[in-house]
Amino acid sequence: MQHAFKLGDSEHSLALSRSGSGYRLHVDGQTLDIDLRQGADRSTWLTLGKRHLPVVIASRGDDVFIHLDGEAYQLRYQHPLDRLAAQAGGAADDQMLAPMPGSIVSVAVAAGDTVAKGQTLLVMESMKMETTLAAPRDGVIAEISFAPGQTFDRDAVLIAFEPQA
């Protein structure tokens, strides 16, 4: 199965397949042998092709944070439904999806409001923790799908933005 990750402004398609000695990574038309192992000292090592490098990997929701070879990278998993919506003419960032199931605590904006990137849009609660969701871009709110007290599932559309021109 093909997966897509966004690194900066670039999107990369990748897939894993089994090989005789482990796995192969298929990314952007290239195929590399890949292995990820933890050492006795609990350090993690990535073998990518002929390179064997220490790596630190952490994830939060759809974001994967990688520290590799002196550089830090943040990858964002691109949900297949978002990619499909983008191919249908909309942009994936026209919708703010729920990163996990939960309920709405408060909503700070209304349909028709103009918002700036980073502006607080709503506060949600999930697993007894409150999370503030901020605008991923400048734009105009087209629709708010849930009111305070309502519950939602993961990947529910919480807020829709007017499409960008």
Side-chain angles (χ1 to χ4, degrees):
M1 177 176 179
Q2 286 284 327
H3 297 277
F5 286 88
K6 196 165 188 176
L7 175 62
D9 292 331
S10 301
E11 185 174 290
H12 301 275
S13 294
L14 60 93
L16 285 176
S17 65
R18 289 194 178 267
S19 69
S21 60
Y23 289 94
R24 286 193 178 121
L25 175 67
H26 307 270
V27 58
D28 298 333
Q30 294 181 331
T31 300
L32 300 166
D33 289 325
I34 187 169
D35 190 28
L36 187 65
R37 295 189 187 255
Q38 193 166 45
D41 62 353
R42 303 195 55 82
S43 62
T44 304
W45 291 86
L46 174 70
T47 301
L48 190 59
K50 296 184 187 243
R51 298 181 71 197
H52 187 68
L53 303 164
V55 64
V56 176
I57 301 173
S59 65
R60 183 182 63 208
D62 290 337
D63 291 315
V64 179
F65 304 92
I66 300 172
H67 191 266
L68 175 70
D69 209 16
E71 298 287 333
Y73 304 94
Q74 180 179 355
L75 303 172
R76 175 165 272 273
Y77 178 71
Q78 300 294 293
H79 194 281
L81 293 178
D82 293 340
R83 297 177 72 209
L84 193 59
Q87 291 169 357
D93 63 354
D94 288 343
Q95 298 178 335
M96 177 174 277
L97 303 179
M100 59 191 85
S103 63
I104 300 295
V105 174
S106 65
V107 178
V109 294
D113 284 357
T114 299
V115 297
K117 181 178 179 178
Q119 180 179 338
T120 298
L121 301 180
L122 61 86
V123 177
M124 61 175 270
E125 179 181 301
S126 182
M127 298 172 23
K128 299 182 179 181
M129 293 177 39
E130 288 190 3
T131 302
T132 299
L133 298 181
R137 64 171 174 86
D138 295 344
V140 176
I141 303 297
E143 181 180 346
I144 300 170
S145 305
F146 297 93
Q150 290 185 307
T151 61
F152 51 83
D153 291 324
R154 182 186 172 165
D155 293 333
V157 176
L158 299 176
I159 292 180
F161 289 84
E162 295 287 336
Q164 289 183 311

